[in-house]
Structures are given as structure tokens and as C-alpha cells.
Amino acid sequence: MNLWLSQLKDPVPDGLKTPAELARFELSHALPDPAVTLAEDASLGDGYRIEALDDGSFHIAGGSTGLLYGAYRLILDRLCGETISDSVESAPKYALRMIDCWDNPDGTIERGYAGRSLFFADGKLSWDPERIRELGRLLASAGLNVLCINNVNVHFPAQLLLEDDLPSLALLAEAFRPFGIRLMLSIDFSQPMRSGIPTADPLDPVVREWWKKTASQVWAAIPDLAGFLVKADSEGRPGPFTYGRNHADGANMLAEAVRPYGGVIVWRCFVYNCRQDWRDTATDRPKAAWEHYAFLDGQFADNVILQVKHGPFDFQVREPLSPLLLGMKRTNLAMELQLTQEYTGHQIDLYTMIPMWKELYEELPADNIMSLAAVSNLGNDANYTGHPLAAVNLYTFGLLAWNPETDAETAVARWCRLTYGFSPAEEKKLTDLLLSSRGIYEKYTAPLGIGWMVNPHDHYGPNPSGYEYDLWGTYHKADRNAVGIDRTAGGTGYLSQYPETIRKKYEKPETCPDLYLLFYHRLPYTFRMKDGRTLVQRIYDDHFEGLEETRVLAEKLLSLPFPEPDAGVIRERMEKQLYNAREWCDIINTFFHRLSGVPDERGRKIYD
Ligand code: GCW
């Protein structure tokens, strides 16, 4: 199974060493005719230039990886029935196009919905070389180039990746090398303490020395390792706060250790108080990242990249763009997206993400964003992503990381064509269904930007007050009159973290876009929306519509001629999604009906 590359019949053989060699292999097998000549030009790096010559042949120039990306461009265009008539030049917008796996050494995957790890089993590295070559091909053909293989929550024995497991890790890095994919590792900030050092204080000379020595050993084994990914002082992970240091102290200390080898430190900004008292109204979780990082702008070393989740909470179906991505102009930034569907349906419910990503880009100036990262939705299921249609998220993420201008419909249609080769009418139908899936999911889950009404911990299915009296800072405060939190200047002040244009867009409930309404405002159920409906009526309507649209989605989707085994898996998941959508619709509507006492204007069934 090779997903969107299923038309490439010849598996990548063992023993290829460089992306340029792989490019030659792929072209000679997938595109033996017309002739394609390749010329390596290191100055082009990942970029390529393809020229269509008068005799019908093609010429590709590029760095070694550029040749590979150029080769996939030609091959995939050809598989799509497209051809390059003159010449094209292309180079990626982002230098690091990363997939972050949350895989644990025991083979489990945190928030994974597609089987077990492709890289670990029984406490150590373990992989099937053929599957790694398939995966490498998938990732490279989507333009992705960095793979962080282990969970940011570094639980023992993942620390051994920097110690006894190095030789094995070097072999895995070698397996990915022809695909132009460099490995990255999540590290444990307190790891020096495993060597008997009594502290992990980033300003302690012994600790600094330990990291330098460790980096020299790691890069001696894997000279092209991309760097380290760090989750520090977040959800119980160790970090510089323990020693009264800030995150620039922590990140810069590591940056110095990896600098001689061209390594980067990707430092996550997912830092907030995860032991909040629900009675405490002074703390508003979305404000946390800004409070921890904004004042450090300009203080990070140039090989540090701050990795910021796209929204200020945590990958909810609707969140505004994180203010850090707009405000830290003197810091290298990466935006972090989540392909694994933690809050978006567990790869059971259909949820195509590119429409959401495109919305984020509407507000993103992107000048100082140098990397795009996504939490992996991969596992060892035969189809890699559990739900066969979830693969569209991996592929289109790659296209977007290469070129954020990529149009959502074109990207999804290309994936459909490569994967299923349907007739034009069927392809259009599938493309439209995929593009509509996010809006449908959004309608039947937590309303109007409020988020979090999920079953705690597992995060699938409705539970409107599951997190209401918990420690995580995720409250909606619904009572009999009103719902939501005022995050404007008159409320928690979260909105003040944004530039003026954005503040203006959201600050008044009358003009705030509907879908963000309850993210920013606390409003009575009787509040009149722009179209004249009351807030609570809009909530009821959205949920009934979301359920009905899921029914229509199921019917249309299941009428398409998917091949087996996809057809069976899609049918089975669609049935579960229908059940889930009904649970959401009824529970959310009942919740608000019980609280508000307001009947549905249209007299539809809401349970008491
Ligand atoms: O919200 C949380 C997830 C955790 C995850 C964390 C993070 C890896 O529920 O499972 O931990 O986000 O992004 O670090």
C-alpha cells in the first residue's frame, strides 16, 4: 500500500544512498519515457528547475534533494495527466518541513489513531526496512524533509536514544537519507541528571559541558541530524523554571551545544498552568504562551526556533491564530499544526484540515516563520493513517509547507486523483466532500469557537462540562443566562495581545465573526446574531444541521467506487461518525436547552 503513490509499482530498492540516486531510480521506473536528464546544482538546494526541451525530453536542475523533488513533480504531474510545457522553477517556502511523531519506545503513540509506532517496539528502536522506504517515499513526494521520531513527552527509555541506542538510530537515519529526510529527536531537558550530575540548570558549567559532549557524540553518529525538539516546563516536563531560569536560557544553552554541527533547537511554546483552580478567574489559559515568551523576543540564538501551536489553546476545531506568531518579530518561529485528529475525530470522523490552515494563513504575515511542523497522523496500520481519507491531511500539509499559497481545492483534488483515479465527476464529488468535512464537524461539536466540550483525556465524543471543574484552564462557564468568557480588554485582556487590526475585528460581539463569537465573548442566550437569530437558536440550528449534513456526507461518500480495502474501512468509520454526530447534536442541544429553558423555534426534538 503506497497511498497517493500506489501507481508507482516498483518499490524503492535497498542500497540507494542519495536523493539524486533515488531521483534517477524513480524516473527510470515511473517515467522511462520521455527521457529526463538531471544536473546537480548545489546552489539550488531543495529547489528545482524543470525545462521541457524541444525534442520532448525534460531537464531537471537542482541540489541533490531538489532533483528528487523535481523528479516527483514530473512523475506526479504525469500521473495526474498534466504536463510541463515550458519550464518551471520551484523552491520551498520553509526550510524545515517537519513531521513530529509522538511515538514512545514501547510502540504506543500518544494521541495516535493509526496503529502502533513505525519506529519503536518493546522499549527500543525497531522498524521494517520496506515500510521505512515506503514511508520515506510518501514523505519526500509530499516535499517533507524532517522527521522527529519520538514523543515530546520523553519517557524512559527514550533517553537511551542519545546513549546506548545511537548506533541503531544512525541506521534509521541512513534509511531515510536517500529520501532527503533528516531525523530530529525529542530530548529530556533533565537528561544530564541521568549521568549523576545533580542539576540540569542551563547556566551550570557542568551541565553545559555535558550537553556539548553529548551533542558531539550524537552528531558523530548522525552527521545530518536536524536537531533537538524540546517540550520544557510544560505539562510536567522538566525545564529551566526549576532553576529560576527562563526559556531563552534553556534554549540558548542547547543551541550552543549543537551549533558546531549545524543543528537547531526547536523549542515548543506550549507552556501554561495545567494545575489551574477553576475558581481562579484571573488566569486565562490562552494568554499563557505570550506571557512566557513575548518578552524574550530577540533573545534567542539564531539556531533556535520557537515552535508555536497554531492557536492559543490546543488544536481545537476553531481557534484564532496564536498571537505569538504575529508578535515575535525578532525570533525564528515554526507554526505547529496537528495532523493526528486528537480533538477532530480520532481519524474516525472525516476532517480535512487544509481549509482551516488556509484560514490561519489569512492572518499570518509569515516573514519570520521559517518552519512548518505538524504532529504526525501516522502509524503502522497498512494504510498508515487509519482512515484512508486522513492521508489527504499528510499530503496537503506537505504541499502547504512547500508553498503556503497552494489552493485548497487544487491540493485536495490532486490527492484524490493520485489516490483513486476516479472519473472527473467522482473526483469533484470527493474533493467537495473532503473540503466540506471540517465545517460539518465544527457544526456538530462545541459551538462557535468555545471548544473543549469533549470527553476528558480521550478527547472523542461530547461531554459539555467534562473539563469545567478540572485543572486544565478550559472553561466555558455556561449558566442559565449566558455562556463564554470575555477575552476583550474589558475581560481577561487576551485580545490585547494582538495587533490593532485583529483586535478591531474581534472586539465587538456585533461585528466579531460568528464562528469566533464564544471564543472572545460571554453572551446571553438571547444575544441577536448578525442574521437575527438568537445565540441559542444558532447553537440548536448548527447542531441539527451538522447531524443532517453528516447523513448527506455519508450517503454521498458511500456512493463513490472506492476500492477495497478502503471501501470497507470508510463505511465502518462513517457509521461511527454518524453515531458520534448524533451524540454530539443531542447532548449539546440538551445541555443548552436544560440550562436556558429556551425552546427550539422550529420545534425539533431536543431531549429533556
Ligand atoms: O494537549 C496536549 C495533548 C498531549 C500532548 C500535548 C503537547 C504530547 O493532549 O497528549 O502531549 O498536548 O502538545 O505537548
Side-chain angles (χ1 to χ4, degrees), residues 102 110-111 151-153 231 234-235 268 270 272 285 309 314-315 336 338 342-343 375 452 457 459:
W102 287 352
E110 183 156 347
R111 311 301 178 188
N151 191 355
V152 288
N153 290 326
K231 173 175 179 177
S234 167
E235 301 186 328
R268 294 177 87 227
F270 184 56
Y272 68 99
R285 173 166 159 184
K309 287 192 182 185
D314 188 14
F315 301 134
E336 181 176 319
Q338 192 184 44
E342 176 179 359
Y343 295 97
V375 181
W452 295 109
H457 314 303
H459 301 163

Side-chain angles (χ1 to χ4, degrees), residues 183-479:
L183 296 189
M184 183 171 276
L185 288 183
S186 295
I187 56 151
D188 170 356
F189 193 78
S190 67
Q191 187 153 346
M193 297 170 81
R194 284 177 39 80
S195 308
I197 300 171
T199 172
D201 181 351
L203 300 192
D204 185 299
V206 179
V207 171
R208 298 174 83 90
E209 218 25 65
W210 186 91
W211 279 112
K212 282 186 184 161
K213 190 176 107 244
T214 300
S216 77
Q217 287 160 355
V218 171
W219 266 270
I222 307 150
D224 58 354
L225 189 79
F228 293 149
L229 175 63
V230 194
K231 173 175 179 177
D233 293 313
S234 167
E235 301 186 328
R237 306 316 303 156
F241 287 169
T242 310
Y243 311 99
R245 313 297 183 197
N246 67 36
H247 279 211
D249 297 329
N252 291 344
M253 176 274 293
L254 292 169
E256 189 182 302
V258 306
R259 179 184 299 283
Y261 319 103
V264 294
I265 299 300
V266 180
W267 187 273
R268 294 177 87 227
C269 296
F270 184 56
V271 178
Y272 68 99
N273 176 5
C274 67
R275 306 209 56 82
Q276 193 178 327
D277 185 331
W278 60 270
R279 299 168 194 85
D280 161 19
T281 50
T283 309
D284 184 21
R285 173 166 159 184
K287 291 168 72 178
W290 179 273
E291 288 167 352
H292 287 298
Y293 292 96
F295 74 100
L296 295 173
D297 192 20
Q299 294 183 36
F300 289 92
D302 60 5
N303 60 333
V304 172
I305 302 173
L306 293 191
Q307 185 161 299
V308 183
K309 287 192 182 185
H310 66 77
F313 260 133
D314 188 14
F315 301 134
Q316 301 301 291
V317 58
R318 177 151 312 256
E319 291 189 43
L321 187 69
S322 167
L324 273 189
L325 292 168
L326 299 168
M328 295 198 71
K329 298 201 185 307
R330 289 176 298 141
T331 303
N332 298 321
L333 297 174
M335 177 158 72
E336 181 176 319
L337 305 171
Q338 192 184 44
L339 305 179
T340 196
Q341 290 176 230
E342 176 179 359
Y343 295 97
T344 52
H346 283 203
Q347 277 133 261
I348 296 168
D349 297 25
L350 201 61
Y351 189 99
T352 300
M353 299 180 175
I354 193 165
M356 175 175 102
W357 301 334
K358 296 297 289 183
E359 281 170 18
L360 297 171
Y361 270 97
E362 280 168 24
E363 283 182 351
L364 197 67
D367 304 348
N368 55 340
I369 307 264
M370 59 170 299
S371 159
L372 205 59
V375 181
S376 164
N377 59 355
L378 297 162
N380 73 350
D381 277 2
N383 65 13
Y384 292 95
T385 54
H387 196 314
L389 302 177
V392 72
N393 290 327
L394 181 66
Y395 180 70
T396 53
F397 168 71
L399 298 194
L400 200 84
W402 188 277
N403 175 13
E405 306 285 309
T406 305
D407 164 70
E409 186 173 345
T410 313
V412 171
R414 187 171 170 92
W415 178 84
C416 293
R417 182 170 303 183
L418 290 167
T419 306
Y420 292 116
F422 286 157
S423 72
E426 289 159 349
E427 179 183 302
K428 172 86 175 90
K429 189 167 174 183
L430 179 56
T431 303
D432 289 347
L433 292 173
L434 292 175
L435 288 170
S436 70
S437 60
R438 184 260 185 146
I440 295 174
Y441 184 86
E442 180 171 20
K443 272 191 179 171
Y444 63 72
T445 53
L448 305 172
I450 205 151
W452 295 109
M453 291 186 158
V454 286
N455 279 308
H457 314 303
D458 172 56
H459 301 163
Y460 188 77
N463 190 341
S465 287
Y467 274 125
E468 196 55 16
Y469 302 101
D470 216 329
L471 305 163
W472 302 89
T474 52
Y475 314 118
H476 54 67
K477 307 212 169 164
D479 64 18

Side-chain angles (χ1 to χ4, degrees), residues 75-241:
I75 292 168
L76 295 184
D77 274 9
R78 172 58 70 92
L79 292 176
C80 283
E82 291 162 12
T83 180
I84 292 167
S85 50
D86 187 2
S87 72
V88 289
E89 269 192 68
S90 189
K93 165 87 181 172
Y94 300 114
L96 303 186
R97 304 175 296 280
M98 283 179 62
I99 294 291
D100 295 353
C101 301
W102 287 352
D103 294 22
N104 298 312
D106 66 1
T108 58
I109 303 179
E110 183 156 347
R111 311 301 178 188
Y113 311 106
R116 295 178 71 82
S117 174
L118 287 154
F119 316 116
F120 297 98
D122 305 323
K124 52 183 192 317
L125 283 162
S126 166
W127 66 88
D128 169 350
E130 267 175 44
R131 289 209 83 178
I132 293 297
R133 288 196 292 276
E134 267 192 357
L135 178 64
R137 194 184 222 182
L138 285 170
L139 297 176
S141 70
L144 297 163
N145 69 348
V146 177
L147 186 67
C148 184
I149 56 163
N150 65 314
N151 191 355
V152 288
N153 290 326
V154 182
H155 304 297
F156 189 79
Q159 288 84 347
L160 298 181
L161 289 169
L162 300 187
E163 301 174 14
D164 309 352
D165 290 350
L166 263 184
S168 186
L169 189 67
L171 291 176
L172 185 62
E174 187 180 313
F176 277 112
R177 209 160 276 138
F179 302 94
I181 292 166
R182 298 161 71 200
L183 296 189
M184 183 171 276
L185 288 183
S186 295
I187 56 151
D188 170 356
F189 193 78
S190 67
Q191 187 153 346
M193 297 170 81
R194 284 177 39 80
S195 308
I197 300 171
T199 172
D201 181 351
L203 300 192
D204 185 299
V206 179
V207 171
R208 298 174 83 90
E209 218 25 65
W210 186 91
W211 279 112
K212 282 186 184 161
K213 190 176 107 244
T214 300
S216 77
Q217 287 160 355
V218 171
W219 266 270
I222 307 150
D224 58 354
L225 189 79
F228 293 149
L229 175 63
V230 194
K231 173 175 179 177
D233 293 313
S234 167
E235 301 186 328
R237 306 316 303 156
F241 287 169

